[in-house]
Amino acid sequence: MTTIMDGRKVAGHLSEEIKDALSQSKKHGIRPKVAFVRVGDMPDAISYENAAFRRFEKLGIDAEQYHFPEDVSAKAFLTKFREINSDHAINGILLLQPVPEHISMKRVVELMNPIKDIDGMTQVNLGKVLTGEDDRLEPCTPAAVMEMLNFYNIDLKGKNVTLVGASAVVGKPLALSLMNKDATVTICNLYTDDLVSRCADADVIISAAGAVNLIDEPHVKAGAIIVDVGINFNADGKMVGDVNYEAVKDKAAFITPVPGGVGAITTTVLAYHLMMATDFQKEPVLFLEN
Ligand code: NAD
């Protein structure tokens, strides 16, 4: 019997923890608040922002939206960004990507206060992922994968995990989190040869590549655990992952669907990170002002 790992269930469970933390905060007169910062009108950025906004609204968390025109000058944008960053009423910042080329993403991320960095973009937080610190604010998608595996009591110790995709926002930080759980991790990218054999021995396959039907029946050993992070649209315009779900689902022991899998958890993780960030800011902290 294959277990379908249900991202909505995981998000629901996490939401209860968030609501508890939120009511505790409010009892102490603290209203956590997130700032969404977007430059331009890229459809992917808008849809992620809208999804996150709805999630925060549903949880009863205050959100402020800062939208800048595509042609805003770098100077004007960075001036406003500094203000948001140092506003003590704002506990977390989500910077929507991409930003236009004339604004240096590197510079913006360098300016961001790591304790407001709820999507784990800064080098401080990525460094904490490396060493597995408890107070890390890690990138939300890898964190959502780890929440999913944890919710379904999947012990990664000693497991052979093949991770397909090695981007800085998903694959690489996820590889570190898996290693921190004592998994043996094989990391594949577009240039990896013989993907089939690298997956076929794996106890766990995690695909974050962005390629339709990349993981098919020959890639999967019987009883494998499959986590599909990919979000793609097939020829019929239907949202699908990287895994040929129908072809592999009976062979796997656990599998995530798309939609309704990892993608259903990420904005809730973002809200959870806001609660963590708010908690860090209760104490007088050293704010890194740039
Ligand atoms: P990216 O394009 O930055 O990186 C893709 C990675 O996959 C690269 O390392 C690339 O070498 C590798 N890759 C691409 N095609 C491959 C192939 N045929 N064989 C092996 N490796 C291959 O993408 P990203 O931002 O890391 O996102 C990856 C996927 O995850 C996308 O489909 C994206 O939409 C999805 N995503 C989902 C969520 C979510 O919440 N579920 C969040 C972020 C991204």
Side-chain angles (χ1 to χ4, degrees):
M1 254 298 270
T2 309
T3 301
I4 312 298
M5 293 191 272
D6 183 346
R8 293 187 183 105
K9 220 186 236 180
V10 180
H13 177 78
L14 205 53
S15 296
E16 292 309 313
E17 285 188 41
I18 295 168
K19 284 179 194 160
D20 283 349
L22 191 61
S23 74
Q24 284 303 321
S25 274
K26 287 182 179 171
K27 264 189 212 153
H28 292 94
I30 300 165
R31 289 190 68 93
K33 190 179 187 182
V34 64
F36 296 120
V37 179
R38 170 163 58 81
V39 186
D41 297 309
M42 293 291 281
D44 283 358
I46 293 176
S47 69
Y48 187 48
E49 182 182 346
N50 288 344
F53 188 83
R54 282 195 301 271
R55 175 70 58 205
F56 279 79
E57 199 175 34
K58 222 169 159 187
L59 289 164
I61 298 173
D62 296 341
E64 192 101 38
Q65 289 169 292
Y66 296 89
H67 295 159
F68 299 85
E70 179 87 25
D71 61 355
V72 64
S73 73
K75 190 170 177 224
F77 174 73
L78 292 174
T79 303
K80 187 66 194 171
F81 189 80
R82 276 196 182 87
E83 266 175 40
I84 298 166
N85 204 28
S86 54
D87 181 343
H88 292 282
I90 290 172
N91 306 98
I93 297 173
L94 177 66
L95 174 66
L96 278 307
Q97 295 190 61
V99 297
E101 266 178 27
H102 69 278
I103 297 173
S104 160
M105 185 68 189
K106 181 172 180 287
R107 181 73 188 122
V108 184
V109 174
E110 278 170 1
L111 282 176
M112 193 185 294
N113 189 331
I115 62 168
K116 295 190 177 187
D117 173 25
I118 57 171
D119 201 11
M121 297 174 128
T122 58
Q123 293 187 357
V124 169
N125 281 314
L126 290 171
K128 288 183 181 189
V129 175
L130 180 83
T131 47
E133 304 299 317
D134 287 340
D135 66 346
R136 65 192 185 277
L137 291 168
E138 60 195 298
C140 287
T141 303
V145 172
M146 297 308 286
E147 285 291 339
M148 178 76 94
L149 294 169
N150 184 45
F151 183 83
Y152 284 93
N153 294 318
I154 291 165
D155 182 6
L156 290 160
K157 192 175 285 180
K159 293 246 177 7
N160 292 321
V161 181
T162 294
L163 173 58
V164 186
S167 71
V169 285
V170 186
K172 285 182 197 165
L174 181 53
L176 294 169
S177 293
L178 294 163
M179 284 190 277
N180 287 337
K181 294 285 179 193
D182 296 322
T184 303
V185 186
T186 301
I187 307 160
C188 306
N189 62 45
L190 188 54
Y191 305 101
T192 300
D193 64 355
D194 198 3
L195 191 63
V196 173
S197 71
R198 291 175 201 279
C199 292
D201 278 342
D203 304 312
V204 182
I205 301 172
I206 305 177
S207 188
V212 178
N213 290 341
L214 180 63
I215 307 301
D216 217 324
E217 197 270 338
H219 296 76
V220 176
K221 83 170 174 190
I225 296 159
I226 304 179
V227 178
D228 192 350
V229 184
I231 298 178
N232 313 294
F233 292 89
N234 69 11
D236 302 329
K238 189 174 163 240
M239 185 193 282
V240 293
D242 293 349
V243 177
N244 186 347
Y245 183 84
E246 287 306 324
V248 308
K249 79 168 193 309
D250 293 333
K251 215 173 168 187
F254 290 82
I255 189 166
T256 62
V258 176
V262 174
I265 308 173
T266 44
T267 56
T268 308
V269 169
L270 201 61
Y272 188 79
H273 285 180
L274 179 75
M275 299 314 302
M276 284 172 69
T278 304
D279 193 48
F280 302 155
Q281 290 159 45
K282 269 195 330 217
E283 306 295 329
V285 287
L286 178 66
F287 272 75
L288 300 177
E289 303 283 6
N290 284 276

